[in-house]
Structures are given as C-alpha cells and as structure tokens.
Amino acid sequence: MMRTHYCGDLNKTHIGETVTVCGWAHRRRDHGGVIFIDLRDREGIAQIVIDPDTKETFATAESIRNEFVLKVICKVRSRPEGTVNLNIPTGEVELLASAIEILNPSLTPPFMLDDDSISEMIRLEYRFMDLRRPMMQNNLRLRYRVAKVLRDFLDENGFMEIETPMLTRSTPEGARDYLVPSRIHAGEFFALPQSPQLFKQLLMVSGFDRYFQITKCFRDEDLRADRQPEFTQVDIETSFMNEEDIMAMVEKMIREMYKKVASIDLPTRFQRMTYLEAMYKYGSDKPDMRVTLEITELTDVMKDVDFKVFSSAATMKGGRVVALRVPNGSAITRSEIDAYTEFVKIYGAKGLAYIKINDVNELNETGLQSPIVKNIHVNALKAIIEKTGAANGDIIFFGADKEKVVNEALGALRLKVGHEKNHVDGRLWAPLWVVDFPMFEHDEETDRWVAIHHPFTAPKEGHEDLLVTDPGKCLSKAYDMVINGWEVGGGSIRIHEEKVQSKVFDALKISKEEAKEKFGFLLDALQYGAPPHGGLAFGLDRLVTLLAGAESIRDVIAFPKTQRAQCLLTKAPNAVDEKQLRELHIRLRTPQPTT
Amino acid sequence: MMRTHYCGDLNKTHIGETVTVCGWAHRRRDHGGVIFIDLRDREGIAQIVIDPDTKETFATAESIRNEFVLKVICKVRSRPEGTVNLNIPTGEVELLASAIEILNPSLTPPFMLDDDSISEMIRLEYRFMDLRRPMMQNNLRLRYRVAKVLRDFLDENGFMEIETPMLTRSTPEGARDYLVPSRIHAGEFFALPQSPQLFKQLLMVSGFDRYFQITKCFRDEDLRADRQPEFTQVDIETSFMNEEDIMAMVEKMIREMYKKVASIDLPTRFQRMTYLEAMYKYGSDKPDMRVTLEITELTDVMKDVDFKVFSSAATMKGGRVVALRVPNGSAITRSEIDAYTEFVKIYGAKGLAYIKINDVNELNETGLQSPIVKNIHVNALKAIIEKTGAANGDIIFFGADKEKVVNEALGALRLKVGHEKNHVDGRLWAPLWVVDFPMFEHDEETDRWVAIHHPFTAPKEGHEDLLVTDPGKCLSKAYDMVINGWEVGGGSIRIHEEKVQSKVFDALKISKEEAKEKFGFLLDALQYGAPPHGGLAFGLDRLVTLLAGAESIRDVIAFPKTQRAQCLLTKAPNAVDEKQLRELHIRLRTPQPTT
C-alpha cells in the first residue's frame, strides 16, 4: 500500500508517528520561507509543512501546483500555538515532510473546486473534476450508504436480490421504451425495462417469496427537472403479505435508513391519507404536509354567482372551484399577487382571483377587498368566509377551471405561498402514505379508461364488480409514500387471479388477443399457482436528493445526462459507423454524413 | 402476515403449536382415508395431514391438485412412529390441518418439478415454473449470498459502490456494442456498456479512492455456451495500490467468500504463474491446475526429422511442436485415440500423432509403438523420452502446427484426457493467478498489434520503452484469476500518465485524432491529476456457476437468453410498431409486415 493513512484521519493521536499520505495538492501557500500544502484525499485535508532545510524536498514542493498528485512521507506534529484550526478534524496537527514524490502533475484546473458559481454545463463536461468537490463526494457517499443500509435491512428481513433482464420485451404503453435493435433477429428489437414489474411478479409465482433489486430503469420521456433517461429503483416484492403488512415493513425500513445514515428520527407511524382527501385539500396526490395551508371546496357554492369564471367552472362537467386561504395574507402586495398569477398560468390557470379580508362581518367591497366581490352574492360570500374559516387580515386565492387545472395550479400555489410566507409547521420531515387511489382515470382524448398505476394493480376488497359496472368508482390496493411533497415510493397489491386480470384488461379495452400478445406469459403464470403478492418501488435518486438537500437529482448521480438527454463528458449519444447499422438491419431515416 | 412460519422451518420445537403456513401443494397422497399434502415454500416442505373428521377441510383437500396455492391453519405434532423421515429437516413433524384455504388453483403444470429430463427450451419457456425447482431456488440463493458477501467485504474495506451509466458512448472495438437509438438526437445512438472501465478510471481521477459496482455489462457477440448478451460483473478499482496489493486483497475477498457461502477453504496463497509458463506447459492462459498432465516443448528437437508434419511446423514462422505425456496411457484404445483425434480437430488440428511406450530403452518401432517412429531419427526419439520423462506403459500425444492451434488443441486434450483418465491431483479447488501477460498480440489479418487486455493497461516496470522499440516483447501489469480452468476475474494496473497512454495508442496505430474522438475525456482526465490506480472485474455468473457446480451459466441466471439471444418466456426480441421506429429516426433495411 502506498499510503499508511488517509489525510483526513490524522489527528493528535498520531503525533510523533512517521506516516505516508497520498492525495491532491488542494492549495499551496508560501509563508515566511516555509511552504504549506493542503493535501486532500477522500477523507479530508491535512496540512503538509515543507521546511527550507530539506533542500530537495523543498525544491520539489516549489514546483507543485493545484491538483498535483503527491505521495508524502512525513512526521505528524502539533501545530504551533495560534495556528490550530478547530474547524477541520485534522486542525490540531501538521505533517512535516521528509520526502515528496510527485506521482502525477496537473494542468491548471478548468475551475477552482471551491467555486460554487460554475455553470452546470462546465461541471458536467469536466465531471471528473466536479466529482472532486466535497459536495459531490458527500452526495455519492450518502447515496452509497442509503443503498447499503436498505440492502442490509432487506437482507435481515429475508429478502433476496435477484437480477432481472436489461434486454427485454417492448410493450408500448405508459412511457416510451428505449429500443435495442437485434443483430441476430433482423427487424426485431429488445427494450430496456421501464421497471422490473412483470419479472418480479413472475419471481413471486416462482416462490421466491421475498425479492428485491436495486436496479436501473429506463424511460424515454421528455425530461423534466427531476427526470433522467436512466434512473435507479429500489424494487421490492413479497408474497403472502397484505398492504398493511407491506406498508408497515417498508415504513420501518425507511425509518431505520433515515436514522442510520442521517440520525434523523421519522415518526413511528407515518400519516395516512386517501387520494380523494389529498386531491381535495391539497390539490395533489403528493402533498407536502409541512405546509399548513389547505384548499377549500367551493364548487357547490359558486354554481349561481354572477362572476362567470366561477359559475361556469362550477357547473361544467369536470369543473371545480376552490379557495386557498392564507392567514395574515392581506399584506401580500399587488406585485406579489401578479407574480403568483403568472405562476399559476404555468399550470394552465387563466388568472388568479383573490379577496383580501378587511372585515369578515362586512360582506361587501369594503370588508372584502377584491374586484370580484361585487359579482358574488352575499350567501356565497358568507359561505366563502365560513368554509375557509377566514379571519380579518387574511387573503383568499381562488381557482376555477377544469378539476385538473385547479388542482395543479392551486396545489402548486399552496406550496409556493406556504414556503415563501412561512406557513409551515416547523417539521423538517413530513412522511405520508397516500392510499385508496382510483384504479382508473378517464382519458378524454381517447375516451378510454387508463390505469393510474399499472394494469396489474389489484382492486380494493369488494370493488371487483365495479371493474365492470363503474370503473371510475373502483379503488385499488395501491399506496404511495410521500416525503415533503416528493413521491419517493409507490406500489400496490397485484392481481394474482387470472379472472380478475382479465376484467381489468376488459375495463382498459385491451382485447384478449392484445393481452395475450403483450402479457401472455404473465397471464399464463397467473394460472399455474400464483400466490397473493404485492410490493413497491422506491426512487433511489429522489430519496437521496431529498436527504442530501440537493438541488437536482443530477447532483446525486455520478455521470448524469442533461435535460436534453446527453452526456457532456463522453459526448453520448453519438453518430456510429454505417457498418454497425448494417449489422443491426436498420438505416437512418435521414442519412447523416458518416463520421 | 398471512403465515406464522415457513413450512421448511418447522421441527420438533414447534410441537403443540398452532401455526399458519402458506405455499404450494407439492404432492397429494390419499392413504387409509387420510389426505396428505406436501406443502412447499421457499424454505422447504412440510407434511400436512387432513383427517376425514374435519369434513369441510377434507372436502377442500380433495379438490387440491399439484401446485395449488394454499393457506393452512394447523397444529404441529410428532409424526407417528415409523413415518419419521430424517432426510428432510421437517421430517419429524406433521401438521394436522384445521382449515385450508385455496388461495389460487393451478392448471396441470407443464412438467413435474422433480423431472430432470425436461428440455431446456421448455424450462426457459415456462421459467416461472422451472424456477420453483430446488436446483434453481438454490442456485439463485447462492448467487445472492455470493453478491452479498462480496459487497460486505468491499464495504468493510472502504469501497463505495457507485453507479455508472447504462446509456453511454459507442466505441467500436473489442466486442460489438448493443446500440440504442436516440429520439431527441436524430441519427445518434447510445451504446450499452461493455464494462464500466472508463467510468471507473474517471472515478479514481475524481478521488473516490476505492470503488466497486456489481453491474450488468453487454456484448453483442456470437454466443458460446457460457456467454450471455448481458452478464454481471463485480467491478473493482482502487487508487494508490500496486498489483501485489490488489491481488492480495481480492484473493482474500474470494477466500472469505468461498468460506462464508460454501464452507470451502481455499489455499492461503494462490499459486502464481506467468502467461508464458501457462502457455508453454498447459497450452492455455487459464490452465486447470487440478490436471497433472503437462505439455513438453519439442519444437527445437523436430526441426530436422523426416516426419514432415513435425519438421515443417518446427521450422515455420510461428509454428510449434509439443508432446503431451499421459502416464500409463498405453492402455488407451485405438477407438479412444480416434475420438481424441476428432476432438482436437475442433481446435483446428489436422491429426493427432502418438507414441505408445513399450520400452524406453528400445528406440525403434518395437519399443515405441507408432506409425511415425520410423520417420523420426533416434536423437529426436531420445530427446522425446528424456524431455517428457516418459516411462514404459505411457502414451505420448503430439501437436504440431501454428502455435495457436497447438496450444488450443493440446490444451483442450490435456483437460479431456486428464479428467477422463483421472490424471488429477484430487483437489476440488485450484485457484491460480496468471501474470506477466504481453501488452499486445499481433493480428495477422490486419498486420497490427492489438491490446490483449485493453488499451488502458499499464506496461510492466521497465517495459515502457518496449512500447516503441519492440511491442511484442512488452509485458503488462495485468493479472487474471483462474479457478479450475475458468477465468473468473481479470484486471490490471492502468496507465495514469498521459504520455504513456499516447505511446500505447501509437503502438496500436490509433491516431491522435481517433484517440481524441473516442477517449478524449480520459486523455483529458489523465492530465488533470490522475492518481496511480488499478483494479479488476470478476464475472459473477461464472463465479456462481463454478460454486454451484451448474452445467451452464443459464442455470444461475433467473431469466437468461438462449444461445440465439432470445428470451423464450417473454418472446424478446420482438417486432415493434412503425411509430416507434419513426420516433427514433430509423427504419428497417428489409421492412417487415407490421404486427
């Protein structure tokens, strides 16, 4: 071993020892004829002192620049009085060099490691430098600890990690597949898995009883801030457990993980909420429960008011009118309201009506300061005040549109105003289970029911007949874990009976032939002794981003893609040789000049 | 939880307890008016007894067929005298059922789980049934334990698992890449990684110091028996360690793994052998050291014999003549020799000359029984006897051809004869390091040097100049771990200096432009403070196959591909929608009828 110690591990207990350390010259200072080098390795920084008496060593030290790779033999000693630095673990000692070897020099780095203003483009292009920064070192170490602690928990609970294929079958629904042309089978393609869903269900049919896998999944979607073409899932499936058993077990897993990697105590029982309540009160199926603001339903109240924006939303099919009361919000300025109005437009809202409450007892334009008050009759005004519980000094914002627009716009506004105006309950961590999801949502465009989770989700006890009679009312045995407004995990009890699976395909208007073509092996498997089973999957990238307090999931991934799905470091994707395409039996639609 | 115990965990200590078990009806027997069901779960089999007195339960039990999924409430009791079965852990108890619930019936299984004669095609098509078989359950459990023990060892030794991308850049050399067309970047492609090689080197440049990853790699090659399009690598890389440090550490890891998962004691220091010795004495760079037979070099001896097959091989460029002495082999029959002759032809040999030794002191056709003896002069015959150490009753086989053909043919014959004729040393496990590999081998076709490992392998100390002056003589810092003739792992110290890397590219006739285009980011990284580093990768599939004593790596993979790279279960690869191809900017060369 070239080194005897990591730099960051040295402290008073090593005083007097001769040690060998290896690392990067983080900074060099010349001070009073002496050279100081902060030597950095993954465990921290130690101060090397090079005395001018050691001529050769000193000459070497003089040639050292930032990021040179060094091996230093040195003696650990106390720092002189007045130079002790208690901010770093090694701050009580310094290392007097007796020999320095430059293992590799470095060009001048493209940026300073402690410069936080570097654009993400540059950081991704020089990722091998960016990853030297303490933030990235800490994030990836945290990511590893999270995965390790989850693996250990699952191992202790009898789960086995089993690898499922990366080259699998394309089943075009849900997100777009990444395809891989087959060389041996002309005209055919593999798909990269969107999740191991079908394989993990087959493993249950095979009797493995408790499966997990930490694995890559792929979705060729238009990328949003927190999406990557490839992402990592902590995938879990068990047999002979119901939803309560599963939720209790993974809740314990997440609690232990938070405790072990970050010394955070999550509540001993996570809050539960139905999907319906979440949508009604928070406009979202993943509400951030730290925010204390709530949405109030006003659809019935607004059916007959003169203000057409409200009354037409309240009376149209699938319309909704709601209020968001912000206590003490009447201090919110005109320009802030304008900014909030622009903000809700992102979600499709056409505007943002509001009322500032001057006096709850004066139901007119004096007591209720707003352009819309004159067009709302007094009974409706009374109902607004009563239902929202508004008090003098509050502001009430309104949403009125199709349900989806209202929920997204007011749900987002709730978070924005809540965090900006400090309507939060002070908790750092607010975990939550959302349950009782509908099985299906109606797709207007195709006039079809589509699965909210996936078509293998089991209906809630007693809801099986609704699959046929009223699919929209049918609830599922699905559950999502939400932390601070992020959906970190989700799953369900799966259908284990072929006859129920067929009913779901019927409700989704998937024909017998289509089902057989796409999922024939699963339908087969359900007929050969499939046990009751269920599970869930956590998004590892999100779990770690949340724990790290990172701004983007790209900051917890070693080599991420940009939002344009490119790797700036390796310049992937790239053009390939014509010969490769020929072997794969494909050609480009618009041939490019060959490289 | 539906169950209180696993079937396989029940024993005498549970007698008198009421338990609930869940599992599959492995077998039903009706005997003396009583029904017996062997209930199977992943931990084993327990015998359920259904008494005719329990009318309802008995009626249910009568309808149960093989592979039905059951939940049974029952009381554990001793088996009656004479029915105890000490072959299974649960064999001293039986479970008297008080209630049976059929959780799911099953169609008649496509094959009996204990029928070992089922074709692999059927097994793969019904993989969810095949995986219920104890062999497959055990193999996948073993695979999980191996991975877990390796992960724990690496964790304890300061290694961090870091995920590298699956969607990366195509660099067409070595094996063929699997390509993934980009939707966003028309005409461009990602490649699935053949290994995380470049990324792990970048992680060393980033200062992570000790990295590992258990991850999928992909090679689109024509499949041999033990190749899969996707395979799993235990990938390891460290900084500031030399080859001795690395070999010692991973040797310890493999030793601990064998001990922990299989209670096998591997030797405390693995044997070492140079590449040259391995090729000369065993005709292979991965010799099975359990076989005691050795190859004897005779090229010099045969230059001037009349037997043209020998003399021309001995005098041509790149030719080789060798002997394989088999002690007491003269009992090998003519028809066996004919079979061996056919066998070596697989490897390109044109025939198989031999001499049976009747009397070592009689160097003529009486003492040496063979059609070729008359064409070999007496000095050469003498040399054959002396160099091979042949004794009366032995047989000597010969190989004479191009070196590659001789090595492959006689290397394979050595194993075949050694195992068939019991020339083995009795060890169950013979681990070995092969070291001092050449950097390059010469490709006749293109008249170029090609890298034996990969172009990032560092030359041996003092061999740097040979990169320029005599590439064929240049040895590398590469090492392979071989167990029982299987290459289970391989790696090297990498080049950390840009100037050495450039020399290697020069030797490989890779131009500066080409190198920059393909590996620019690595060359950059080497200039910004790359530490000395190295590592290796183990093939998890092979490690487990060897430990499991399985016939094929397909038996240690849950959902493998066939040798035609197909998944018989999901029918992947498959044709895809024209719409998908359009979105990916590609079309088929020979359009298929759309599905």
Side-chain angles (χ1 to χ4, degrees):
Chain A
M1 226 73 78
M2 291 189 200
R3 67 158 71 84
T4 59
H5 294 79
Y6 280 112
C7 296
D9 288 345
L10 293 171
N11 56 46
K12 279 198 300 189
T13 66
H14 302 93
I15 287 171
E17 285 181 37
T18 296
V19 301
T20 306
V21 286
C22 294
W24 285 259
H26 191 64
R27 201 174 283 110
R28 192 191 105 187
R29 279 164 298 131
D30 300 24
H31 185 70
V34 175
I35 296 177
F36 296 90
I37 293 172
D38 284 346
L39 193 70
R40 186 190 71 238
D41 63 22
R42 81 167 193 198
E43 299 301 329
I45 286 177
Q47 178 170 294
I48 312 281
V49 182
I50 303 102
D51 197 283
D53 295 347
T54 58
K55 272 217 164 71
E56 204 182 327
T57 304
F58 195 82
T60 304
E62 282 189 303
S63 73
I64 289 167
R65 301 287 175 272
N66 278 358
E67 301 306 318
F68 275 35
V69 185
L70 309 178
K71 176 182 168 182
V72 188
I73 301 172
C74 42
K75 196 159 183 175
V76 185
R77 67 181 191 192
S78 285
R79 290 202 189 182
E81 250 180 83
T83 67
V84 167
N85 177 359
L86 293 177
N87 294 324
I88 58 170
T90 63
E92 294 181 275
V93 297
E94 60 183 19
L95 316 181
L96 184 65
S98 58
I100 297 185
E101 184 183 346
I102 295 175
L103 295 171
N104 215 355
S106 171
L107 299 180
T108 304
F111 51 82
M112 297 290 289
L113 297 194
D114 45 14
D115 182 352
D116 287 333
S117 69
I118 307 305
S119 84
E120 196 181 15
M121 290 292 160
I122 298 290
R123 289 177 51 204
L124 292 177
E125 188 180 342
Y126 290 94
R127 191 58 155 183
F128 54 87
M129 297 299 294
D130 187 47
L131 289 175
R132 289 185 189 166
R133 301 165 71 213
M135 175 190 80
M136 290 307 299
Q137 292 268 326
N138 291 340
N139 284 359
L140 291 187
R141 190 180 283 222
L142 176 69
R143 184 185 180 103
Y144 171 56
R145 292 315 307 163
V146 169
K148 174 71 174 149
V149 165
L150 295 180
R151 274 203 170 88
D152 288 346
F153 178 92
L154 290 164
D155 185 73
E156 284 155 22
N157 284 273
F159 285 81
M160 279 170 65
E161 188 160 16
I162 300 176
E163 296 170 63
T164 56
M166 291 283 116
L167 293 170
T168 180
R169 185 186 166 83
S170 177
T171 54
E173 65 221 15
R176 258 185 233 103
D177 283 323
Y178 276 103
L179 294 185
V180 183
S182 163
R183 180 175 54 84
I184 299 177
H185 304 279
E188 298 190 334
F189 293 78
F190 294 103
L192 301 180
Q194 297 188 20
S195 89
Q197 182 64 34
L198 293 173
F199 289 106
K200 69 174 175 171
Q201 291 193 236
L202 292 176
L203 289 172
M204 294 302 103
V205 175
S206 297
F208 285 99
D209 204 71
R210 293 188 166 198
Y211 144 96
F212 82 100
Q213 191 182 192
I214 300 188
T215 190
K216 284 282 176 68
C217 301
F218 302 84
R219 284 183 201 167
D220 187 9
E221 291 189 287
D222 297 311
L223 303 177
R224 287 187 253 145
D226 281 310
R227 287 272 173 85
Q228 283 278 312
E230 53 181 296
F231 55 97
T232 304
Q233 215 163 272
V234 182
D235 198 45
I236 297 171
E237 195 81 4
T238 87
S239 298
F240 306 116
M241 284 172 80
N242 63 27
E243 52 270 51
E244 288 298 330
D245 298 333
I246 294 174
M247 289 162 78
M249 189 185 62
V250 300
E251 197 180 296
K252 183 156 178 272
M253 177 179 84
I254 294 297
R255 202 159 35 235
E256 284 195 18
M257 185 273 282
Y258 265 72
K259 184 71 180 175
K260 282 188 179 163
V261 304
S263 303
I264 294 166
D265 289 302
L266 294 183
T268 46
R269 196 170 188 281
F270 291 5
Q271 191 182 347
R272 294 274 180 100
M273 186 180 294
T274 67
Y275 172 85
L276 212 62
E277 183 181 357
M279 296 308 284
Y280 265 68
K281 283 169 71 172
Y282 308 102
S284 168
D285 60 358
K286 42 177 189 288
D288 183 346
M289 300 309 293
R290 296 171 306 170
V291 172
T292 50
L293 304 178
E294 285 185 11
I295 285 169
T296 307
E297 183 64 45
L298 293 174
T299 307
D300 281 350
V301 172
M302 297 302 180
K303 284 186 192 300
D304 61 350
V305 299
D306 288 342
F307 187 49
K308 283 282 171 264
V309 172
F310 285 6
S311 59
S312 68
T315 52
M316 77 179 168
K317 189 176 169 239
R320 190 183 184 195
V321 183
V322 302
L324 179 71
R325 172 198 165 209
V326 183
N328 309 313
S330 66
I332 290 175
T333 64
R334 182 66 235 181
S335 72
E336 285 178 308
I337 293 174
D338 288 346
Y340 291 147
T341 306
E342 289 309 307
F343 177 76
V344 296
K345 284 180 181 172
I346 298 170
Y347 301 91
K350 288 172 206 81
L352 182 62
Y354 66 90
I355 298 176
K356 286 189 175 177
I357 314 291
N358 294 334
D359 185 347
V360 290
N361 295 318
E362 220 177 322
L363 299 181
N364 55 36
E365 289 178 75
T366 312
L368 305 177
Q369 182 188 333
S370 166
I372 64 168
V373 163
K374 62 179 178 293
N375 293 317
I376 299 179
H377 58 66
V378 73
N379 281 346
L381 291 173
K382 209 167 148 186
I384 291 171
I385 302 296
E386 272 172 17
K387 284 177 184 271
T388 59
N392 297 348
D394 293 354
I395 191 170
I396 299 173
F397 291 108
F398 294 89
D401 208 312
K402 285 193 177 157
E403 194 173 340
K404 188 175 151 68
V405 171
V406 168
N407 289 343
E408 290 188 2
L410 273 283
L413 184 67
R414 171 181 170 268
L415 295 186
K416 190 173 173 65
V417 176
H419 286 295
E420 283 180 7
K421 300 296 175 188
N422 210 25
H423 291 288
V424 290
D425 62 11
R427 282 184 296 170
L428 290 173
W429 301 98
L432 169 76
W433 284 108
V434 178
V435 296
D436 283 354
F437 283 83
M439 284 285 283
F440 310 105
E441 63 187 348
H442 197 259
D443 183 47
E444 302 290 328
E445 223 173 282
T446 59
D447 189 26
R448 279 166 68 143
W449 293 105
V450 294
I452 282 200
H453 281 81
H454 52 61
F456 319 110
T457 306
K460 205 174 154 83
E461 226 67 57
H463 283 225
E464 222 179 273
D465 290 344
L466 291 171
L467 288 171
V468 181
T469 57
D470 192 352
K473 285 243 162 60
C474 186
L475 298 183
S476 72
K477 292 186 180 173
Y479 33 80
D480 277 2
M481 187 189 286
V482 175
I483 301 181
N484 294 2
W486 289 41
E487 183 203 325
V488 293
S492 64
I493 299 297
R494 326 300 182 184
I495 297 167
H496 70 283
E497 292 169 298
E498 198 269 340
K499 68 174 196 288
V500 180
Q501 188 67 68
S502 291
K503 275 187 199 170
V504 169
F505 285 145
D506 286 347
L508 293 168
K509 293 215 171 72
I510 295 176
S511 72
K512 290 227 175 341
E513 294 68 39
E514 195 184 349
K516 192 170 152 49
E517 159 76 14
K518 286 181 184 164
F519 311 112
F521 55 99
L522 179 71
L523 296 178
D524 273 357
L526 295 183
Q527 296 187 78
Y528 286 105
H533 63 288
L536 82 175
F538 287 95
L540 182 64
D541 309 291
R542 286 193 196 166
L543 268 182
V544 178
T545 304
L546 203 55
L547 258 174
E551 280 177 27
S552 152
I553 64 168
R554 290 186 296 278
D555 282 345
V556 302
I557 297 173
F559 302 102
K561 305 286 189 297
T562 63
Q563 289 195 39
R564 297 263 305 148
Q566 282 177 303
C567 172
L568 299 182
L569 174 74
T570 61
K571 309 284 188 291
N574 58 321
V576 300
D577 290 345
E578 177 62 18
K579 176 169 173 285
Q580 289 176 279
L581 300 184
R582 253 201 320 272
E583 285 185 325
L584 299 174
H585 318 285
I586 58 172
R587 61 173 95 235
L588 302 182
R589 280 187 183 258
T590 313
Q592 312 280 312
T594 51
T595 51
Chain B
M1 227 71 80
M2 288 188 201
R3 68 159 69 85
T4 59
H5 295 78
Y6 280 113
C7 295
D9 288 345
L10 293 170
N11 56 46
K12 279 198 302 190
T13 65
H14 302 93
I15 287 171
E17 285 181 36
T18 295
V19 300
T20 307
V21 286
C22 294
W24 286 260
H26 190 65
R27 200 173 285 109
R28 191 191 106 188
R29 279 165 297 134
D30 300 26
H31 185 71
V34 175
I35 296 176
F36 296 90
I37 293 172
D38 284 344
L39 194 68
R40 187 190 71 238
D41 62 24
R42 80 169 194 197
E43 300 301 327
I45 286 178
Q47 177 170 294
I48 313 280
V49 182
I50 304 102
D51 197 282
D53 294 350
T54 58
K55 273 216 164 69
E56 204 182 326
T57 304
F58 194 83
T60 304
E62 282 190 302
S63 72
I64 290 167
R65 300 288 176 273
N66 279 357
E67 302 304 317
F68 275 36
V69 185
L70 310 179
K71 176 182 169 183
V72 188
I73 302 172
C74 41
K75 195 159 184 175
V76 185
R77 67 180 190 192
S78 286
R79 289 201 191 184
E81 251 178 81
T83 66
V84 167
N85 177 357
L86 292 176
N87 294 323
I88 58 171
T90 63
E92 293 182 276
V93 297
E94 60 181 21
L95 316 180
L96 184 65
S98 57
I100 297 185
E101 185 183 345
I102 296 175
L103 296 171
N104 215 355
S106 171
L107 298 181
T108 303
F111 50 83
M112 295 292 286
L113 297 194
D114 45 14
D115 182 351
D116 287 333
S117 69
I118 307 306
S119 84
E120 196 181 15
M121 290 291 159
I122 299 290
R123 288 177 50 206
L124 292 176
E125 187 179 342
Y126 291 93
R127 191 60 156 183
F128 53 88
M129 297 300 292
D130 186 46
L131 289 175
R132 288 184 190 167
R133 299 165 70 213
M135 176 190 78
M136 291 306 300
Q137 292 268 324
N138 291 339
N139 285 358
L140 292 186
R141 189 180 283 220
L142 176 68
R143 183 185 180 103
Y144 171 55
R145 292 316 306 164
V146 169
K148 174 72 174 148
V149 165
L150 296 180
R151 275 203 169 88
D152 287 346
F153 178 93
L154 290 164
D155 185 73
E156 283 155 21
N157 284 274
F159 286 80
M160 278 171 64
E161 188 159 17
I162 300 177
E163 295 169 66
T164 56
M166 290 284 116
L167 294 171
T168 180
R169 183 185 168 83
S170 176
T171 54
E173 65 218 16
R176 259 184 231 103
D177 283 324
Y178 276 103
L179 295 183
V180 183
S182 164
R183 180 176 54 84
I184 299 177
H185 304 278
E188 299 189 335
F189 293 78
F190 293 103
L192 301 180
Q194 296 188 20
S195 89
Q197 183 63 34
L198 293 172
F199 289 107
K200 69 175 175 172
Q201 292 193 234
L202 292 175
L203 290 171
M204 294 302 102
V205 175
S206 298
F208 284 99
D209 204 70
R210 295 188 165 198
Y211 145 95
F212 81 100
Q213 191 182 192
I214 301 187
T215 189
K216 284 280 175 75
C217 300
F218 304 83
R219 285 184 201 166
D220 187 8
E221 291 189 286
D222 297 311
L223 303 178
R224 288 187 253 145
D226 281 310
R227 288 273 173 82
Q228 282 278 310
E230 53 181 294
F231 55 97
T232 304
Q233 217 164 268
V234 182
D235 198 44
I236 296 172
E237 195 81 3
T238 87
S239 299
F240 306 116
M241 284 173 81
N242 63 26
E243 51 273 48
E244 288 298 330
D245 298 334
I246 293 173
M247 289 162 77
M249 190 186 63
V250 300
E251 197 180 296
K252 182 157 179 270
M253 177 179 83
I254 295 297
R255 204 161 29 236
E256 284 195 19
M257 185 272 281
Y258 266 71
K259 185 70 180 175
K260 283 189 178 161
V261 305
S263 304
I264 293 166
D265 289 302
L266 294 184
T268 47
R269 194 169 190 280
F270 291 6
Q271 191 182 347
R272 294 272 180 100
M273 186 180 295
T274 66
Y275 173 84
L276 213 61
E277 184 182 357
M279 296 309 284
Y280 265 67
K281 285 169 70 172
Y282 308 102
S284 166
D285 61 357
K286 42 179 191 285
D288 184 344
M289 299 308 293
R290 297 172 305 171
V291 173
T292 50
L293 305 178
E294 285 185 12
I295 285 169
T296 306
E297 183 64 45
L298 293 175
T299 308
D300 282 348
V301 171
M302 298 300 181
K303 284 188 195 296
D304 60 351
V305 298
D306 288 340
F307 188 49
K308 283 279 170 270
V309 172
F310 285 6
S311 59
S312 67
T315 50
M316 76 180 168
K317 190 177 169 233
R320 189 180 187 199
V321 183
V322 302
L324 178 73
R325 173 197 165 210
V326 183
N328 309 312
S330 66
I332 291 175
T333 65
R334 181 67 236 179
S335 71
E336 284 177 310
I337 293 174
D338 288 345
Y340 292 146
T341 306
E342 289 309 306
F343 177 75
V344 295
K345 284 181 182 170
I346 299 170
Y347 302 91
K350 289 171 206 82
L352 182 62
Y354 66 90
I355 299 177
K356 286 189 176 177
I357 315 291
N358 294 334
D359 184 346
V360 290
N361 295 318
E362 219 177 323
L363 299 181
N364 55 35
E365 291 177 74
T366 311
L368 305 176
Q369 182 188 334
S370 165
I372 65 169
V373 163
K374 61 177 179 292
N375 293 318
I376 299 178
H377 57 67
V378 73
N379 280 345
L381 291 174
K382 209 169 149 187
I384 290 171
I385 302 295
E386 272 172 16
K387 284 181 185 269
T388 59
N392 297 349
D394 294 354
I395 192 170
I396 300 173
F397 293 108
F398 294 89
D401 210 311
K402 286 195 176 157
E403 194 174 340
K404 188 173 150 69
V405 171
V406 168
N407 289 343
E408 290 188 2
L410 273 282
L413 185 66
R414 170 182 171 268
L415 296 185
K416 189 171 172 67
V417 177
H419 286 296
E420 283 181 6
K421 299 296 174 184
N422 210 27
H423 292 287
V424 291
D425 63 9
R427 284 184 293 170
L428 289 174
W429 301 98
L432 169 75
W433 284 109
V434 178
V435 297
D436 284 354
F437 283 84
M439 284 284 284
F440 310 105
E441 63 187 349
H442 196 259
D443 184 43
E444 302 290 327
E445 223 175 285
T446 60
D447 190 26
R448 279 166 68 143
W449 294 105
V450 295
I452 283 199
H453 280 81
H454 52 60
F456 318 110
T457 306
K460 204 174 155 82
E461 227 66 58
H463 283 227
E464 223 179 89
D465 290 342
L466 291 171
L467 289 172
V468 181
T469 58
D470 192 354
K473 287 244 160 58
C474 186
L475 299 183
S476 71
K477 293 186 180 174
Y479 33 79
D480 277 2
M481 187 188 286
V482 176
I483 301 182
N484 293 3
W486 290 42
E487 183 204 325
V488 294
S492 64
I493 299 297
R494 326 301 181 184
I495 297 167
H496 70 285
E497 292 169 298
E498 198 270 339
K499 66 173 198 290
V500 180
Q501 188 66 70
S502 292
K503 278 187 199 170
V504 170
F505 286 146
D506 286 348
L508 294 168
K509 293 217 169 71
I510 296 176
S511 71
K512 292 229 174 337
E513 295 66 40
E514 197 185 346
K516 194 171 150 52
E517 159 75 13
K518 286 180 184 166
F519 310 113
F521 55 98
L522 179 71
L523 296 178
D524 274 356
L526 295 184
Q527 297 187 77
Y528 287 104
H533 63 288
L536 81 177
F538 287 95
L540 182 64
D541 308 292
R542 285 194 198 167
L543 269 183
V544 178
T545 304
L546 203 53
L547 259 174
E551 280 178 27
S552 152
I553 64 170
R554 292 186 295 278
D555 281 346
V556 301
I557 296 172
F559 301 103
K561 305 287 188 295
T562 63
Q563 289 196 37
R564 296 263 306 148
Q566 282 176 303
C567 172
L568 298 182
L569 174 74
T570 61
K571 309 282 189 292
N574 58 321
V576 300
D577 290 346
E578 176 63 18
K579 177 168 172 285
Q580 289 176 277
L581 299 184
R582 254 203 317 273
E583 285 184 326
L584 298 175
H585 318 286
I586 58 173
R587 60 173 97 236
L588 301 183
R589 280 186 184 258
T590 313
Q592 312 282 308
T594 52
T595 53

